[in-house]
Amino acid sequence: MDFYILQVETGHEAGFIEKVKKLSPELSQKHNLIYLTRELTIRRQGKWLKEQQPVFPGYVIMQTTSSIDSKTLLTLKSVPGFYHFLKSNTEITPLSGNDLFIIQHFLGLGPKIGASLVKFDENDRIVVIEGPLKGIEGNIIKVDRRKQRAKIRVDFGGSSHTMDLSFEDISKQG
């Protein structure tokens, strides 16, 4: 199973997948297009709300057992909102190494990533019990206990990306 990354119009990732299904059903059956979202707890006007946001804004994951041929590339280019494959359309290579590890980590959590369960040790360091932060603790660069978010840095596609993931502090309970 190979994974590729498509760069698409930011904010229209789910719509892009729907367009591919509508314009080219055979392509969407041959290649699985995945759009990962994360659940963030956001405070608006004094109320706590749960909101879905993309894990990787502007990117769609393609999971496939076959290689990307010229027909697939031409079909994708005809879909509005498609920009290119990562690294480029002339150098289409499946993910490997750290990029593959990061994608498989998030895919293993399902299409909608929830909050991690954490506690803080006696030195006020975050300890991940379970959830999306488990296994990538070394990527945490900042913790905001009030907003219940951890900012992580992932090196992906040749560049560094930061994102916020929600957590629930179980040391507060009980």
Side-chain angles (χ1 to χ4, degrees):
M1 190 75 50
D2 287 329
F3 296 94
Y4 298 86
I5 302 297
L6 312 176
Q7 187 170 13
V8 299
E9 187 177 356
T10 302
H12 299 277
E13 299 88 353
F16 172 80
I17 293 173
E18 290 306 312
K19 288 177 194 171
V20 170
K21 287 179 182 176
K22 185 178 176 185
L23 298 172
S24 181
E26 65 280 352
L27 185 129
S28 63
Q29 289 173 354
K30 187 177 176 184
H31 308 288
N32 185 23
L33 296 175
I34 306 162
Y35 167 57
L36 294 174
T37 60
R38 62 197 158 128
E39 185 176 271
L40 283 180
T41 306
I42 297 174
R43 189 174 176 150
R44 282 212 182 100
Q45 299 175 343
K47 294 182 181 166
W48 289 99
L49 306 169
K50 295 205 183 278
E51 190 175 280
Q52 293 293 325
Q53 294 185 355
V55 173
F56 301 109
Y59 297 99
V60 170
I61 301 162
M62 179 185 276
Q63 179 182 14
T64 185
T65 54
S66 59
S67 62
I68 306 301
D69 56 13
S70 58
K71 182 182 178 206
T72 300
L73 180 59
L74 282 172
T75 304
L76 287 171
K77 281 183 173 182
S78 70
V79 178
F82 174 78
Y83 295 143
H84 60 85
F85 278 88
L86 283 190
K87 302 184 177 181
S88 71
N89 286 343
T90 56
E91 195 180 323
I92 301 172
T93 54
L95 294 179
S96 61
N98 189 52
D99 291 350
L100 182 60
F101 170 78
I102 293 292
I103 290 300
Q104 288 178 328
H105 172 77
F106 286 112
L107 285 174
L109 301 166
K112 292 186 178 161
I113 298 169
S116 294
L117 292 179
V118 304
K119 65 181 182 179
F120 289 87
D121 66 10
E122 64 278 351
N123 297 323
D124 235 16
R125 289 186 302 221
I126 191 167
V127 178
V128 181
I129 309 299
E130 66 178 44
L133 293 170
K134 186 79 173 163
I136 58 170
E137 293 91 345
N139 295 21
I140 298 172
I141 55 175
K142 182 180 177 185
V143 174
D144 187 332
R145 288 177 87 160
R146 187 181 65 80
K147 289 184 178 179
Q148 295 186 324
R149 290 196 200 159
K151 184 176 287 290
I152 64 167
R153 176 180 295 128
V154 290
D155 295 325
F156 178 74
S159 62
S160 189
H161 300 272
T162 60
M163 72 177 84
D164 288 345
L165 293 175
S166 290
F167 65 80
E168 290 181 33
D169 185 357
I170 61 169
S171 58
K172 287 182 181 178
Q173 300 168 356

